Amino acid sequence: MQKIKSLMARQGLKSPQESMADLSPVENLRIPSKEELRELREQPIDPQAEQEIIDSIEEVYFSNDSFDMVQHELEKLPPELNLQELEEYRDKLKRQQAAVSKKVADLILEKQPAYVKELERVTALQTNLQLAAVICTNARRQLSVAKEGFTEASLGLLANQRRRQLLTGLLKSLRTIKTLQRTDVRLSEMLEEEDYPGAIQLCLECQKAASTFKHYSCISELNSKLQDTLEQIEEQLDVALSKTCKHFDVSHYTKVQLAYTLLGKTQTAMDQLHMHFTQAIHNTVFQVVLGYVELCAGNADTKFQKMQYKDLCTHITLDSYIPCLTDLCKALWEVMLSYHRTMQWHEEHDKQETPTPDEAAAAQSGELVVDRSYVKKKLEHGLTRIWQDVQLKVKAYILGTDMSNFKYDDFIVVLDVISRLMQVGEEFCGSKSEVLQESIKRQSVNYFKNYHRARLEELRMFLENETWELCPVKSNFNIAQLHEFKFMGQCRSPSVSPSRQAVSSTSPSQEELSLFQQFLQEGNPFEMHIEHKEEETEDVLASNGYESDELEKSVYQDYDSDSDVPEELKQDFVDEQTGDVPLKSVSRETIRSKKRSDYNLNKTNAPILTNTTLNVIRLVGKYMQMMNILKPIAFDVIHCVSQLFDYYLYAVYTFFGRNDMPVPSPSLPTHGGREVGTVRVVGPACLYESSGLGLISSRLRTTLNRIQESLIDMEALGENAGVHGPTEDRKEKVPSPHLSQLVVLTNSETLYGLAQRVVATESLVFLAEQFESLQSHLDTMMPAAKKPFLQQFYSQTVSTASELRKPIYWIVAAKAIDYEQMLLMMAGVKWDIREIMSQHNVYVDVLLKEFEQFNQRLSDVSRHVRIPLPVSNVLWEHCIRLANRTLVEGYANVKKCSNEGRALMQLDFQQFLMKLEKLTDLRPIPDKEFVETYIKAYYLTENDMEQFIKNHREYSMKQLANLVNVCLGSHINKKARQKLLAAIDDIDRPKR
């Protein structure tokens, strides 16, 4: 009941009595009293009038409960009050009030039964509520007893247990959170230990755990911290990945790759790796070059650090160029080796991984296969990129310095290093290194052009100062013994080109290994270069030109014992008719003649060469080294090699193959200013030209003319002072050399410089032989399109070296014998005798005496220089030919001759031959038939003479005319003589 009342109080409800009591007299109409009610009833009731009164009430009286009607009416009063009007207005208000009161009373009376009935219901409800309140009070009291006795104890235990479980879980979570908070320390330790996979695994686990406890507010900050830590690990992992570019370590790289696998960024790692390799190449070369530049600069100027690499390379000095290049290649080798080992690691890793069923499922999904395929393609593509970057860096270094003034050995070292680098490139990615080849070719062409020009000038200086003395070398001398040709038999240094590796003397097992296999674990292919640069000792020179002092002594004694030729000639018996020597002396004379034919002091036949020859051979070796290393300029080098030989040949001919000195003997071949090889002779020697047996072959003449036009700078000699050729053409040419004034070629005692002539000519022949031995090697180097040049060089130039013997030794032969004296003596002989003579003429003895003197001088010369058999044969052949042709010329000068005189001619010639054969073993005697045929022609008839003239064009017109005039003059008429002379003239006409 109380609750109902309170509820009514909260809702603002009141009992009817209270509600009526609360009505204010103003707000609620006063209940009329009985008298008033009676009065109201007594008043006439007119509903319509009553309604009109109510309607006349102002609207404001119905507006608000708080309306103050008194105030309202007071405010309506006019300023000036009229009592009558006030009373009328008051009556109006009373009527209105009365109407309202009556209306209210009627309504109350009308609703009173319902009101009473409702009030009764409220009273009943109040009684029921009071009863319910009593029931609730009893229930609460009983529930309180139950709570205290049973529920509070049991449910308290359950609540405490539940709280315990919650707190235990909370404690576990707090401990996990505490561990997570401390993981950054452990992660830092693992990163210091470079345990990147462990660190990433731990970080990922922490992130997973943090996601479990994300409902805690502290975890959101921890999650952010773990994410930052993971990013930091990735950064350190990237740094660790970059370290593998210079020094590859298997365990280190394995950790890095496993870490990237855990991150699921295998492809990203490969992209990063290639970027690091590119950066490593740039940083490495820059630091190496910068170090040398700053070292050479000698100051702490930092301007070099701001330079571009290409500009920095131009500041490398010549002294530091090779060490810097070597260190550059060493550093780049380390980078490429790291890349090579990286590829090896991935290949081995792919082979070792045999997929389990789970991995097989992953492979089927394509993720593992895609990653491996991507890595493989990326690595293969990276090979070319890495090598291209290396080439460009080395190219900038090569072209940054002008190498034209480098020493030869230094330049060869540069070529060796670059050649080895190209070999590395070929093994690295199969590249032909076009960039490196082009850059080193540019430098090589520039260097070689200047180098060759300087060497030609140097050769000219050597030739002009050469005294043509014998350079004493051992009998077994071979160009392979020279240091410059060591590369042909074995590696000159470890920096050999791939082409030379095939001819290397290293063991077969070593040849099969590539550079990456040889230096996989340790060492560097560029480290051993300086160690092997020291030249090996050359043991090619003899102490004094002989193998031993005892040999020298025995040679002199042996030669002296056989040199008494004139006495032997006097003691021997000779058959006047046949010229045969008795059998008892043949063996001894043959042995003696053989010894005499090869005027050789050193029985081991040591090569004849000069210091200049040796220098040319060394130059050829150096040129071939350069050509062997750098094949693109092979043709340029071989062309320059041919110029060395050309210039040497031209010099030998210029010095010794022409004679411009006036001599009392018949004129010798001269060398005109324009046409090389022209031979102009007079006297008996002209028989060579007139008979068609020229000293200089057309091939040799063509070669000499070609050399003079292409190589010799004639303007420098003042020979073409009025003609000024292009400057560029003159740069390629060299002035003609001049013979040293120390070389005397006019002394008859030395056979007009025969020793010097032999040394010069035979050194040229020796040089040609060496060129012949190198032909096959040069042919393999020469590009196919240029091989005809090499073949032409050998067929038209090298092979003509031995042909110079004829013109050079002919000069000696023409001066050694006094042929003019013999002609004068023959002119004093009477040939129209009438009886057969048994004694030969004196001019034969004089001629033989000349030959004996020549033989003695030849022996004297051989004491200083070995005269090879081909040289002595040429000398004897020239002398004998000149003597025989002089005999024919003498016989052709005869005005009158009888048959007995012709027999005397034969006797003289047979005596000459018999004595001559004891001086030389040259067989057959040159031009023997030339003399015999001419003598026998004196016995021919008119018809035979005409045929003889047609068949024997080797005789001069004068000699043939003499046969007609002297031999047939008394036997034929004038017409027949004129006919024969006309035939002679017809034969001679084409020669004019």
Side-chain angles (χ1 to χ4, degrees):
M1 192 64 181
Q2 295 296 331
K3 286 188 176 180
I4 294 174
K5 288 182 178 181
S6 62
L7 179 62
M8 292 174 67
R10 284 197 299 269
Q11 294 179 353
L13 298 176
K14 295 180 181 180
S15 63
Q17 297 85 350
E18 292 171 345
S19 299
M20 293 301 294
D22 288 339
L23 291 175
S24 61
V26 178
E27 294 175 357
N28 302 297
L29 295 175
R30 178 175 56 86
I31 298 176
S33 63
K34 292 179 179 180
E35 293 79 7
E36 290 174 346
L37 289 174
R38 189 168 49 252
E39 289 178 0
L40 291 173
R41 289 191 195 102
E42 292 177 355
Q43 293 178 1
I45 300 173
D46 187 0
Q48 184 176 359
E50 187 178 298
Q51 186 64 37
E52 290 177 357
I53 293 171
I54 292 173
D55 292 338
S56 65
I57 297 174
E58 295 181 18
E59 189 70 29
V60 70
Y61 284 95
F62 301 99
S63 63
N64 196 349
D65 292 342
S66 61
F67 173 66
D68 189 358
M69 60 186 68
V70 177
Q71 181 68 28
H72 174 69
E73 290 301 332
L74 290 176
E75 289 177 353
K76 289 175 58 180
L77 293 177
E80 295 181 0
L81 297 177
N82 187 340
L83 180 59
Q84 186 178 355
E85 290 177 359
L86 287 175
E87 285 180 356
E88 289 176 359
Y89 187 69
R90 184 193 64 181
D91 292 339
K92 181 182 179 181
L93 290 176
K94 280 183 176 183
R95 284 192 302 273
Q96 290 177 350
Q97 182 183 7
V100 171
S101 296
K102 186 176 185 297
K103 184 72 174 178
V104 171
D106 291 340
L107 289 174
I108 290 172
L109 290 176
E110 184 181 353
K111 299 293 182 183
Q112 186 175 7
Y115 170 75
V116 173
K117 185 178 180 180
E118 187 66 30
L119 185 61
E120 289 175 356
R121 287 181 61 196
V122 170
T123 303
L125 178 61
Q126 182 177 7
T127 303
N128 290 334
L129 287 175
Q130 288 175 352
L131 179 61
V134 172
I135 294 171
C136 287
T137 301
N138 293 334
R140 284 182 179 178
R141 185 172 61 252
Q142 291 174 1
L143 284 174
S144 177
V145 172
K147 175 182 178 183
E148 292 175 1
F150 172 75
T151 308
E152 195 171 73
S154 300
L155 294 181
L157 290 175
L158 293 175
N160 290 335
Q161 177 63 25
R162 182 172 177 273
R163 184 180 298 172
R164 180 183 176 185
Q165 290 177 348
L166 291 174
L167 291 175
T168 303
L170 179 61
L171 180 62
K172 184 177 180 181
S173 299
L174 290 175
R175 285 176 178 170
T176 303
I177 293 171
K178 183 179 179 180
T179 304
L180 292 176
Q181 294 285 359
R182 294 179 178 177
T183 50
D184 57 341
V185 178
R186 178 56 186 154
L187 285 173
S188 299
E189 293 176 356
M190 296 178 80
L191 289 178
E192 289 179 2
E193 297 169 1
E194 296 185 348
D195 184 10
Y196 303 109
I200 292 175
Q201 186 71 34
L202 178 59
C203 194
L204 293 175
E205 290 176 357
C206 289
Q207 281 188 327
K208 184 178 180 181
S211 65
T212 306
F213 302 104
K214 62 183 178 181
H215 52 279
Y216 294 106
S217 59
C218 61
I219 289 299
S220 60
E221 183 181 349
L222 179 61
N223 242 334
S224 172
K225 186 177 180 181
L226 286 174
Q227 186 62 35
D228 294 340
T229 304
L230 190 61
E231 292 176 0
Q232 182 184 354
I233 293 174
E234 288 188 31
E235 291 176 1
Q236 294 197 23
L237 194 59
D238 191 56
V239 174
L241 183 65
S242 67
K243 292 180 180 178
T244 63
C245 296
K246 293 183 180 179
H247 303 287
F248 184 87
D249 181 76
V250 175
S251 60
H252 178 80
Y253 188 73
T254 304
K255 290 179 182 178
V256 173
Q257 282 297 322
L258 180 57
Y260 273 110
T261 303
L262 290 173
L263 289 174
K265 295 184 177 181
T266 305
Q267 297 185 14
T268 304
M270 196 50 52
D271 295 336
Q272 288 293 105
L273 181 64
H274 281 81
M275 184 186 71
H276 287 314
F277 267 106
T278 302
Q279 191 66 25
I281 291 173
H282 174 75
N283 293 341
T284 299
V285 297
F286 187 83
Q287 290 302 323
V288 170
V289 176
L290 177 63
Y292 275 93
V293 170
E294 290 181 341
L295 181 65
C296 297
N299 54 36
D301 193 354
T302 58
K303 67 176 183 180
F304 297 116
Q305 297 180 358
K306 300 177 182 178
M307 285 187 176
Q308 294 291 328
Y309 170 74
K310 188 174 182 180
D311 298 329
L312 196 63
C313 291
T314 61
H315 289 78
I316 291 290
T317 61
L318 298 183
D319 293 336
S320 61
Y321 188 87
I322 292 178
C324 182
L325 176 63
T326 305
D327 288 347
L328 199 65
C329 291
K330 285 181 183 179
L332 291 172
W333 162 261
E334 294 296 338
V335 176
M336 287 187 285
L337 179 62
S338 296
Y339 195 89
H340 176 78
R341 295 186 67 186
T342 301
M343 291 193 68
Q344 274 191 334
W345 185 91
H346 282 280
E347 291 174 1
E348 294 172 0
H349 185 68
D350 292 345
K351 291 178 183 177
Q352 291 173 0
E353 280 192 355
T354 54
T356 61
D358 292 339
E359 291 175 337
Q364 289 176 1
S365 66
E367 294 179 3
L368 186 60
V369 175
V370 169
D371 282 348
R372 288 184 180 176
S373 175
Y374 181 84
V375 169
K376 183 178 180 182
K377 289 180 180 179
K378 191 75 175 178
L379 287 171
E380 290 175 352
H381 178 69
L383 283 171
T384 307
R385 276 189 54 197
I386 296 295
W387 178 239
Q388 187 69 12
D389 288 344
V390 170
Q391 286 192 92
L392 292 175
K393 297 300 181 185
V394 178
K395 175 187 176 182
Y397 183 83
I398 291 173
L399 299 180
T401 303
D402 183 9
M403 300 190 210
S404 58
N405 295 321
F406 270 35
K407 295 180 181 177
Y408 173 80
D409 289 337
D410 290 343
F411 191 74
I412 285 296
V413 170
V414 173
L415 291 184
D416 280 351
V417 172
I418 299 302
S419 176
R420 171 54 64 95
L421 185 61
M422 288 192 286
Q423 182 185 354
V424 170
E426 186 171 355
E427 294 180 4
F428 185 68
C429 62
S431 171
K432 297 301 180 183
S433 307
E434 291 83 359
V435 175
L436 280 180
Q437 286 194 20
E438 180 61 28
S439 58
I440 200 65
K441 179 181 179 181
R442 283 173 55 185
Q443 284 285 28
S444 298
V445 170
N446 182 38
Y447 172 82
F448 194 73
K449 186 183 297 183
N450 293 331
Y451 181 80
H452 178 61
R453 176 68 186 177
R455 298 292 77 76
L456 281 177
E457 291 292 342
E458 185 181 86
L459 178 58
R460 181 170 73 94
M461 182 188 69
F462 278 139
L463 289 169
E464 291 182 346
N465 291 278
E466 179 63 69
T467 56
W468 303 101
E469 297 292 335
L470 188 66
C471 178
V473 294
K474 292 192 172 183
S475 58
N476 62 347
F477 171 74
N478 187 280
I479 59 172
Q481 298 168 355
L482 296 176
H483 175 71
E484 287 78 6
F485 290 90
K486 291 294 182 184
F487 74 92
M488 294 179 64
Q490 60 185 3
C491 296
R492 179 177 180 268
S493 73
S495 298
V496 288
S497 61
S499 61
R500 274 190 281 164
Q501 197 172 18
V503 296
S504 174
S505 61
T506 56
S507 61
S509 61
Q510 189 74 5
E511 284 185 0
E512 294 172 1
L513 295 177
S514 68
L515 293 177
F516 287 96
Q517 292 171 329
Q518 294 179 39
F519 302 100
L520 184 63
Q521 299 300 330
E522 59 180 358
N524 193 301
F526 301 95
E527 282 178 351
M528 300 170 60
H529 182 79
I530 303 300
E531 299 173 9
H532 287 255
K533 188 181 175 182
E534 299 177 0
E535 295 186 358
E536 300 176 8
T537 305
E538 294 178 346
D539 186 19
V540 297
L541 299 179
S543 57
N544 56 358
Y546 303 95
E547 300 292 339
S548 66
D549 294 337
E550 291 75 11
L551 180 59
E552 179 182 2
K553 185 183 297 182
S554 65
V555 170
Y556 276 122
Q557 290 175 351
D558 181 62
Y559 194 83
D560 287 343
S561 63
D562 289 335
S563 61
D564 195 13
V565 178
E567 293 182 4
E568 291 174 356
L569 287 175
K570 293 178 181 177
Q571 294 171 359
D572 286 334
F573 169 77
V574 182
D575 189 335
E576 296 282 349
Q577 299 298 323
T578 63
D580 294 335
V581 181
L583 291 177
K584 63 180 181 179
S585 64
V586 170
S587 177
R588 184 161 55 91
E589 288 300 324
T590 303
I591 295 174
R592 184 183 296 117
S593 64
K594 286 183 178 180
K595 290 181 182 178
R596 197 172 291 117
S597 298
D598 189 0
Y599 296 86
N600 180 12
L601 278 178
N602 190 345
K603 293 183 178 180
T604 54
N605 294 336
I608 296 176
L609 66 158
T610 66
N611 288 326
T612 303
T613 316
L614 205 56
N615 181 61
V616 172
I617 293 175
R618 290 185 187 277
L619 274 180
V620 172
K622 290 179 178 180
Y623 283 23
M624 289 179 65
Q625 282 183 42
M626 190 177 301
M627 173 178 60
N628 204 32
I629 295 172
L630 198 64
K631 291 184 176 59
I633 65 167
F635 173 71
D636 300 312
V637 176
I638 291 180
H639 178 67
C640 293
V641 167
S642 69
Q643 287 187 340
L644 293 176
F645 186 85
D646 288 347
Y647 196 68
Y648 193 88
L649 182 146
Y650 185 83
V652 170
Y653 172 77
T654 304
F655 292 165
F656 305 104
R658 60 183 186 179
N659 184 37
D660 300 328
M661 301 175 299
V663 291
S665 58
S667 300
L668 306 176
T670 58
H671 169 237
R674 301 266 170 78
E675 185 178 356
V676 180
T678 303
V679 180
R680 299 196 302 271
V681 293
V682 296
C686 71
L687 298 177
Y688 264 102
E689 187 174 347
S690 63
S691 60
L693 300 176
L695 293 175
I696 299 180
S697 65
S698 59
R699 184 175 64 166
L700 179 58
R701 180 180 291 107
T702 302
T703 297
L704 292 169
N705 283 328
R706 176 188 61 78
I707 295 173
Q708 179 172 286
E709 292 173 2
S710 62
L711 188 60
I712 306 303
D713 184 6
M714 303 307 294
E715 293 184 20
L717 303 177
E719 296 182 11
N720 295 325
V723 180
H724 298 285
T727 306
E728 290 299 323
D729 292 344
R730 291 195 60 188
K731 280 185 179 179
E732 302 296 328
K733 296 184 177 182
V734 190
S736 179
H738 301 286
L739 183 64
S740 172
Q741 295 180 355
L742 299 177
V743 180
V744 180
L745 302 179
T746 57
N747 189 352
S748 60
E749 295 298 323
T750 62
L751 281 179
Y752 305 95
L754 178 61
Q756 289 80 9
R757 294 176 189 272
V758 169
V759 170
T761 309
E762 299 313 306
S763 67
L764 175 64
V765 173
F766 176 78
L767 186 61
E769 292 172 353
Q770 305 315 304
F771 268 78
E772 293 285 355
S773 67
L774 297 173
Q775 183 176 5
S776 59
H777 189 82
L778 293 176
D779 189 66
T780 59
M781 299 295 170
M782 181 69 90
K786 300 293 185 179
K787 286 189 177 183
F789 168 82
L790 186 66
Q791 296 170 357
Q792 184 179 11
F793 168 67
Y794 271 93
S795 62
Q796 297 186 7
T797 304
V798 177
S799 61
T800 61
S802 59
E803 295 181 13
L804 275 182
R805 284 172 172 162
K806 279 189 175 182
I808 291 176
Y809 297 134
W810 183 86
I811 296 175
V812 176
K815 296 180 180 180
I817 308 295
D818 192 352
Y819 304 103
E820 288 289 345
Q821 180 186 4
M822 186 171 64
L823 280 176
L824 293 174
M825 293 184 69
M826 290 180 70
V829 175
K830 188 176 181 181
W831 301 102
D832 55 345
I833 55 178
R834 295 301 177 186
E835 55 184 44
I836 296 176
M837 304 294 293
S838 60
Q839 181 65 31
H840 58 270
N841 284 308
V842 178
Y843 73 88
V844 177
D845 294 330
V846 173
L847 180 59
L848 289 172
K849 191 71 175 177
E850 289 277 347
F851 273 99
E852 291 168 9
Q853 187 178 10
F854 168 73
N855 187 51
Q856 182 61 42
R857 290 175 179 173
L858 206 58
S859 302
D860 294 339
V861 171
S862 67
R863 293 177 183 273
H864 305 287
V865 177
R866 177 177 67 88
I867 301 180
L869 180 61
V871 176
S872 63
N873 286 345
V874 169
L875 284 168
W876 279 102
E877 179 184 357
H878 282 331
C879 289
I880 294 173
R881 283 187 186 278
L882 284 171
N884 285 336
R885 290 176 181 260
T886 304
L887 288 175
V888 172
E889 187 68 17
Y891 297 152
N893 291 332
V894 175
K895 302 300 181 183
K896 295 180 180 180
C897 182
S898 60
N899 290 335
E900 292 79 6
R902 298 187 194 99
L904 182 58
M905 290 180 184
Q906 287 184 332
L907 176 63
D908 291 344
F909 186 61
Q910 290 300 323
Q911 177 67 17
F912 171 69
L913 290 179
M914 185 267 296
K915 297 294 184 182
L916 184 63
E917 287 174 350
K918 294 182 179 181
L919 294 176
T920 178
D921 62 348
L922 186 63
R923 299 292 185 276
I925 298 296
D927 281 352
K928 175 181 176 182
E929 294 79 5
F930 185 79
V931 181
E932 290 177 342
T933 302
Y934 190 80
I935 295 175
K936 292 176 182 178
Y938 279 92
Y939 299 99
L940 297 176
T941 62
E942 178 183 349
N943 294 332
D944 293 336
M945 180 60 70
E946 186 175 357
Q947 190 63 34
F948 179 87
I949 290 171
K950 292 180 180 179
N951 295 337
H952 294 276
R953 299 189 177 188
E954 66 271 19
Y955 297 106
S956 67
M957 185 176 69
K958 173 190 172 184
Q959 293 166 352
L960 293 174
N962 182 267
L963 288 176
V964 173
N965 292 326
V966 176
C967 301
L968 299 177
S970 57
H971 305 293
I972 60 176
N973 56 32
K974 184 176 180 181
K975 184 177 180 181
R977 183 186 298 112
Q978 291 297 330
K979 179 181 177 183
L980 291 175
L981 292 176
I984 295 172
D985 190 61
D986 291 340
I987 294 173
D988 188 64
R989 187 175 291 111
K991 298 180 183 180
R992 297 173 186 173

